[in-house]
């Protein structure tokens, strides 16, 4: 019961710049957690729910299913999983009979899902045309006006479980287009173990992707693609954010220890000795180390946290220009599968 990853919500990422050098935007450039979507009842899935899924993305997003087999045909592909869709995570897990989807802890509430495994359960579209699951989800234009070059960073909570065989080559990628130019691929995840771009199982991770925005770029559009898939597994996303500078990249929690990691992606770097941590409004004695651009903050509460409790955190630091960087939010301490007291039975 001491190995769970806590679920967390980042409330804000503040960047308070001094008069010099030139200021950068305060807070993230973009953020979406899908909680504002209106969900409707199940259609083909057997698990009944009144507000459980939708194919309608957030405002100004676009989804291209023009290469998806059965996109406009009844009985060819499960309706709820035709391309990128959005669903309550708990309902998705139940409808898909789990199959390790519940191991994705960082996704919460409504999440974005590309699930060719469930899509193939009606009419077997993957068998009709191997690799027929092709769906592309584009975010709205994100302003980069006044932003220095190579300072924008994409991060998102991701659940990726791949499968590869002779027919199905589950693949995922992200591309970015600056000012309407030809899209540039940010990464490609392939399920082929023999490929240099092979991406193994990563069922619960926070992905950090530098966007390498060019000098003078005014806006960009990011597109996530799931393609060449058939009766494979899934890729799901939540808490998509575009920010500048340092990014809160991990929170791992136990009753006896909390670990926070900050990936130092900015042009100015966090000063290790300046980092402080508050838990529930009180400054705590945390161990801070920095290596390879990652700041690790570890705290061991005494007494240990109570299982099922929630705690607020605040990280405050300075970068090497004297600017203040802070992250605040809350995390839940998970309830272990077994009780904390000894189980009854023979000594």
């Amino acid at each position: 019961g001491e190995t769970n990853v806590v679920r967390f919500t980042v409330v804000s990422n503040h960047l308070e710049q001094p008069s010099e050098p030139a200021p950068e935007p305060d807070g993230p450039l973009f953020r979406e957690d899908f909680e504002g979507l209106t969900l409707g009842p199940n259609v083909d899935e057997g698990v009944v729910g009144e507000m459980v899924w939708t194919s309608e993305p957030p405002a100004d997003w676009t989804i291209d299913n023009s290469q998806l087999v059965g996109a406009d045909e009844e009985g060819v592909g499960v309706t709820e999983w035709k391309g990128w869709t959005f669903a309550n995570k708990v309902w998705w897990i139940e409808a898909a009979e789990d199959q390790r989807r519940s191991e994705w802890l960082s996704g919460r509430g409504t999440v974005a899902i590309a699930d060719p495994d469930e899509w193939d359960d009606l009419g077997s579209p993957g068998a009709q045309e191997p690799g027929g699951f092709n769906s592309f989800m584009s975010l709205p234009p994100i302003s980069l006006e006044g932003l220095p070059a190579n300072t924008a960073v994409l991060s998102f909570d991701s659940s990726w479980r791949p499968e590869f065989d002779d027919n199905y080559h589950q693949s995922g990628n992200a591309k970015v287009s600056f000012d309407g130019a030809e899209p540039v691929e940010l990464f490609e995840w392939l399920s082929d173990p023999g490929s240099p771009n092979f991406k193994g199982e990563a069922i619960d991770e926070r992905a950090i992707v530098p966007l390498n925005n060019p000098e003078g770029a005014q806006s960009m559009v990011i597109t996530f693609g799931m393609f060449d898939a058939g009766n494979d597994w899934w890729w799901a996303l939540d808490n998509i954010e575009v920010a500048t500078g340092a990014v809160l990249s991990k929170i791992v929690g136990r009753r006896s220890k909390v670990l926070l990691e900050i990936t130092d992606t900015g042009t100015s770097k966090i000063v290790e000795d300046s980092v402080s941590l508050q838990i529930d409004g009180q400054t705590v004695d945390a161990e801070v180390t920095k290596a390879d651009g990652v700041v690790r903050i570890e705290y061991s509460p005494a007494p240990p946290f109570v299982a099922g409790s929630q705690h607020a955190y605040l990280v405050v630091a300075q970068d090497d220009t004297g600017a203040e960087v802070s992250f605040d939010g809350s995390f839940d301490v998970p309830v272990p599968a077994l009780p904390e007291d000894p189980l009854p039975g023979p000594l």
Side-chain angles (χ1 to χ4, degrees):
E2 290 289 326
T3 59
N4 293 293
V5 179
V6 300
R7 294 178 291 181
F8 67 95
T9 302
V10 178
V11 177
S12 59
N13 170 9
H14 310 289
L15 288 172
E16 299 178 4
Q17 296 280 2
S19 57
E20 295 181 358
E24 295 182 357
D26 181 30
L29 305 175
F30 175 86
R31 178 183 290 154
E32 180 60 66
D33 62 6
F34 308 113
E35 297 310 308
L37 296 180
T38 300
L39 305 182
N42 62 301
V43 179
D44 291 330
E45 281 288 5
V47 177
V48 176
E50 290 301 315
M51 295 189 298
V52 292
W53 87 284
T54 181
S55 61
E56 292 297 322
D60 301 323
W61 289 49
T62 60
I63 295 178
D64 178 6
N65 286 335
S66 60
Q67 302 174 60
L68 178 75
V69 172
D72 299 318
E73 298 180 58
E74 290 187 12
V76 182
V78 175
T79 298
E80 287 90 333
W81 314 117
K82 289 190 175 186
W84 283 102
T85 57
F86 310 87
N88 176 274
K89 192 187 81 167
V90 174
W91 177 80
W92 172 50
I93 292 169
E94 185 179 0
E97 298 180 348
D98 199 332
Q99 299 175 324
R100 300 188 64 193
R101 290 166 176 83
S102 62
E103 294 178 30
W104 185 30
L105 300 180
S106 53
R108 305 179 71 176
T110 303
V111 298
I113 302 166
D115 194 332
D117 173 51
E118 290 299 295
W119 162 79
D120 191 60
D121 286 350
L122 181 63
S124 299
Q128 293 182 31
E129 184 175 328
F133 187 100
N134 301 282
S135 184
F136 304 89
M137 177 174 65
S138 296
L139 281 60
I142 300 171
S143 175
L144 298 171
E145 187 174 355
L147 196 69
N150 300 314
T151 55
V153 179
L154 168 69
S155 62
F156 53 92
D157 290 321
S158 173
S159 182
W160 166 263
R161 189 180 183 193
E163 186 175 25
F164 179 83
D165 59 29
D166 291 340
N167 293 320
Y168 308 135
H169 302 167
Q170 178 182 333
S171 306
N173 71 357
K175 293 184 177 182
V176 60
S177 171
F178 296 103
D179 297 327
E182 189 70 18
V184 176
E185 191 168 68
L186 296 167
F187 62 83
E188 183 179 50
W189 293 349
L190 301 183
S191 57
D192 181 359
S195 169
N197 289 337
F198 172 64
K199 173 78 170 180
E201 287 188 348
I203 293 180
D204 189 20
E205 80 170 334
R206 182 74 181 172
I208 310 293
V209 184
L211 291 166
N212 302 316
N213 54 298
E215 189 70 41
Q218 298 298 297
S219 69
M220 64 180 174
V221 173
I222 298 170
T223 300
F224 291 94
M226 179 73 143
F227 52 96
D228 292 342
N231 188 20
D232 295 307
W233 288 117
W234 71 82
W235 188 18
L237 307 174
D238 199 11
N239 302 313
I240 299 172
E241 183 175 286
V242 176
T244 61
V247 177
L248 182 65
S249 52
K250 181 183 290 186
I251 300 181
V252 177
R254 302 182 178 125
R255 292 185 57 244
S256 57
K257 180 176 289 187
V258 174
L259 166 66
L260 301 93
E261 288 189 357
I262 299 171
T263 301
D264 204 357
T265 59
T267 52
S268 54
K269 304 302 180 183
I270 290 177
V271 178
E272 180 181 333
D273 293 342
S274 72
V275 178
S276 66
L277 172 66
Q278 291 184 19
I279 299 292
D280 297 330
Q282 300 295 318
T283 300
V284 297
D285 186 15
E287 180 182 354
V288 180
T289 57
K290 184 176 182 180
D292 300 324
V294 177
V295 179
R296 290 173 56 91
I297 308 166
E298 295 186 75
Y299 168 60
S300 299
F305 292 132
V306 175
S309 59
Q310 185 179 82
H311 303 272
Y313 69 85
L314 171 64
V315 178
V316 179
Q318 286 188 333
D319 65 21
D320 51 20
T321 70
E324 182 178 281
V325 181
S326 65
F327 299 88
D328 61 281
S330 63
F331 60 87
D332 299 323
V333 178
V335 177
L338 296 177
E340 298 172 23
D341 297 327
L343 294 174
L347 293 178

